[in-house]
Amino acid sequence: MNNAHPPTLFINDDHVAELATWSSAIEALTDAYSQPISNAMVPPRTMARGDGFWLRSLCAVSPSKEYMGCKLIAASPKNKKASYLISLFDQDTMRLAALIDGNRITDIRTAASSAVAVNALAGTEKFDIAILGSSALARSHLHALNATGRIAKVRVFSPTEANREKLAQEFAELYGLDIQAVASPEEAVKNANVVVCASRSRDGGPVFDAAWLEPGMTIVSVSSTLPEQRELDVATMQAAHLIVADMPEEVIHETGDSLVAIEQGCDVAAKTVSLSDVISGQVKIRNTPEDIVIYKSVGSALQDIVTAEMLLRNAKAANKYQEMNDSIVTIDR
């Protein structure tokens, strides 16, 4: 292939697993969110639907000025199948620089973005963490938060005893964490300053109760991303001094937590700000140390593309990629 036209690179799932370190993802996302990000750079996601299947697209322009791209998700709930593809285009030449298997990237970017948020929002140097849930998403959040080096202790609750015990044992052995599985969410949350909600309730209702709130608490909510899903009760939404969102319009108008709170008179929009405004220092997080702050995430194309950029840089440094024999034509127009 002509050297004037570098080959498109393909990064497969195995290489993604090797290349995606939590520290590099957190660093890349922190840097991205500290820069100006306009709504035009991260438009709303779109979805095409068929009979029992759908194709979703999430597009973004990275503030790095290197790449722009799109994550495509093809999913068939009825057949229990899904695949993920991320494309990266060079912002200067419009050349297709890379195709990346996106299978692992959703969990990586979601948890790493939460770590970015908690690093900025938590009002204490050390984190006493409550984890509500034992899913892959709960695990990825604990991996990411551990990479901050700020964990003091962890208490984990999941309705299934075997699952919560397994998670606690796994992370105690992996990182030497002070982590304990407990028998109730109240016990997990007591004295915590960071609460990670990563478990949908079995009846679709909230998994966090405002009765458990403690002064200065930072709450992370990542598993209620649709109108029919809720993690936080109305009183918690009302008690929050600030709600920090990765995609403010979607958090306000498309999540069950916000929709139910708005129906019951809570002015969610008035206290919702973007994660980029927080990381770039444009928003004061708390007026007093006792203020409650919520980080609410529905997932953002910016997170996908910035994480993919990081993977591409790591892949080139480690020589872990495949060169495609051919690529799409870039034309003058």
Side-chain angles (χ1 to χ4, degrees), residues 45-57 72-75:
R45 66 196 72 195
T46 62
M47 182 183 289
R49 294 183 181 272
D51 182 13
F53 60 89
W54 48 262
L55 179 67
R56 175 179 285 175
S57 64
L72 292 173
I73 309 168

Side-chain angles (χ1 to χ4, degrees), residues 289-328:
E290 291 75 30
D291 286 339
I292 305 296
V293 175
I294 294 170
Y295 171 61
K296 186 99 183 85
S297 172
V298 294
S300 163
L302 178 73
Q303 298 161 3
D304 291 311
I305 299 312
V306 168
T307 302
E309 278 187 319
M310 174 273 294
L311 287 166
L312 181 55
R313 286 193 295 268
N314 290 356
K316 289 179 176 179
N319 201 34
K320 291 184 177 178
Y321 55 79
Q322 297 164 253
E323 292 186 356
M324 297 178 63
N325 291 329
D326 211 341
S327 186
I328 64 170

Side-chain angles (χ1 to χ4, degrees), residues 261-293:
I262 291 167
E263 286 175 5
Q264 298 191 26
C266 179
D267 191 351
V268 173
K271 54 184 173 183
T272 298
V273 300
S274 72
L275 179 58
S276 60
D277 283 347
V278 168
I279 302 302
S280 61
Q282 298 180 53
V283 172
K284 184 178 180 181
I285 297 167
R286 288 178 171 84
N287 290 332
T288 71
E290 291 75 30
D291 286 339
I292 305 296
V293 175

Side-chain angles (χ1 to χ4, degrees), residues 161-231:
E161 182 178 2
N163 291 346
R164 62 183 184 249
E165 292 286 352
K166 181 180 179 182
L167 186 151
Q169 181 179 353
E170 174 187 333
F171 279 86
E173 293 175 354
L174 188 60
Y175 298 125
L177 290 177
D178 175 359
I179 181 170
Q180 180 182 349
V182 296
S184 70
E186 298 94 327
E187 190 177 353
V189 169
K190 186 176 182 181
N191 297 323
N193 53 40
V194 175
V195 178
V196 177
C197 299
S199 173
R200 297 190 189 115
S201 70
R202 292 172 179 175
D203 61 2
V207 298
F208 186 90
D209 191 314
W212 309 335
L213 285 170
E214 300 199 12
M217 188 174 274
T218 299
I219 302 167
V220 175
S221 172
V222 294
S223 290
S224 50
T225 62
L226 299 172
E228 63 270 21
Q229 297 169 345
R230 294 176 66 200
E231 282 186 312

